[in-house]
Amino acid sequence: MKNDRAQFVTKTGVIAATVGSAVGLGNIWRFPFEAGVHGGGAFLILYVICVLLIGVPVVVAEFVLGRGTHANAKGAISQLVPGTWMRWMPLLGVLASVLILGFYSVVAGWILAYLYMAVTGMMSGHTPQEYGTMFGEFVSNPWLSTMCTILFLLINYTVLRRGVQKGIEKIANILMPLLFLILVVFCVNSLLMDGAGKGISFLFNPDFSKITPSVVVGAMGQAFFSLSVGLGCLLTYASYFNDKTPLVKNAFTIGALDTLVAILAGVMIFPAVFSFGMSAEAGPKLVFEILPSIFQHLPMPILWSSAFFILLFFASLTSTISMSETCIACFVEELKMSRKKATMLNTAICIVLGVLCSLSFGVMSSFTICGKTLFDLFDFVSSSILLPVGGIFFSLFVGWVVDKKFLDDQLTSNGEGKMSNWVKMPMMFCIRFVAPISIVLIFLVGLGILSF
Ligand code: PFF
């Protein structure tokens, strides 16, 4: 199994693919308004603490399992503790992947539609109110939004069908540098606008009075979602690393680049929002209602709006590819399917869930479970329950169950690299204690079982 398994061929491919998984709508769409509304710099400090003490250690744990076994998430655990109940745990991650794909591809479908409207000039020349109406009408139109969701999933399919090297690695190598380039151009443009300072202080000025237990829960959830940890996705990507890939170094690189992109996204958005006197607290609608009207005030609005939606499209595609790969690897290796069939099965499941989620903005908006539409329910169950449960499992498993030699071999890349005790000891302390205990505490607070 080890030898004929696919691998990423280049070092940049490894970073591009893993950072591509992490950098997505979570950074560009969700982080800026979460930070803006929840205390700016204070939220950022909390977020960075969660990334360093919980996120990166769980990334290392997933990397150790994936690269050490060269198997999909379920296969990895089965290999290490055959025949125990623990081998079933990664299936929760597969469930989380399809649920996230369900709602994520709806938003990605909106992005595709907005990209089309931007490029064809259909988005130009409206009033801010018209952008609001346009968005409302679009998301509640059952045909249009479901078609866009399906189209996005078919694009996702075509990349995945080509496999690990020719599909995933190749597309990540092309899209990630472009994404950074577009983001930096937007940031420079935004910083040059009149009144940019106000936007920067909205984003960075620490307002500690806004930090409540629920904001801490939000910061952890955001860190998990943004780093793609807890569902076995990075485990699956690590199973395509070669034996020399430095795991701890790569985990820190992902944490740093992912946080950098989230901050840059805020720098791109808020100065512009403030200099045009728009509301920064528009939340999720910000990207679809407020930004299009801002682009109209810039020279060459078609160019800016197209570049912006291309950026979002790239970011979402590299992330959905990684979630799908978590399932596909599992279908291929555990159910012995061909890659083609596994990719088709994953796409079919996602189309069904995606269509249901997309209809929850229109004809199915009154269908709720526990007061949540399917879109919100999938988001809640996956991000607030399944990812933290997965995080606890992977950190406890690596911290307490795997044997010492296996762990040391992985941390030192089979003796290729050195692992100083200054890094290893705090890292293992976080994997064994800090990450699982804090996740449990934050989780209980989030579910309202514990309160301060
Ligand atoms: N990290 C992605 C984002 O920030 O948009 C979302 C994501 C990708 C979550 C892959 C989970 C995952 F396995």
Side-chain angles (χ1 to χ4, degrees), residues 20-31:
S21 165
V23 169
L25 298 178
N27 307 60
I28 301 175
W29 179 59
R30 202 165 155 211
F31 178 85

Side-chain angles (χ1 to χ4, degrees), residues 6 26 34 97 156 195 284 305 389 391 397 424:
E34 288 261 345
S97 311
N156 188 55
S305 45
V389 168
F397 192 84
K424 185 179 167 190

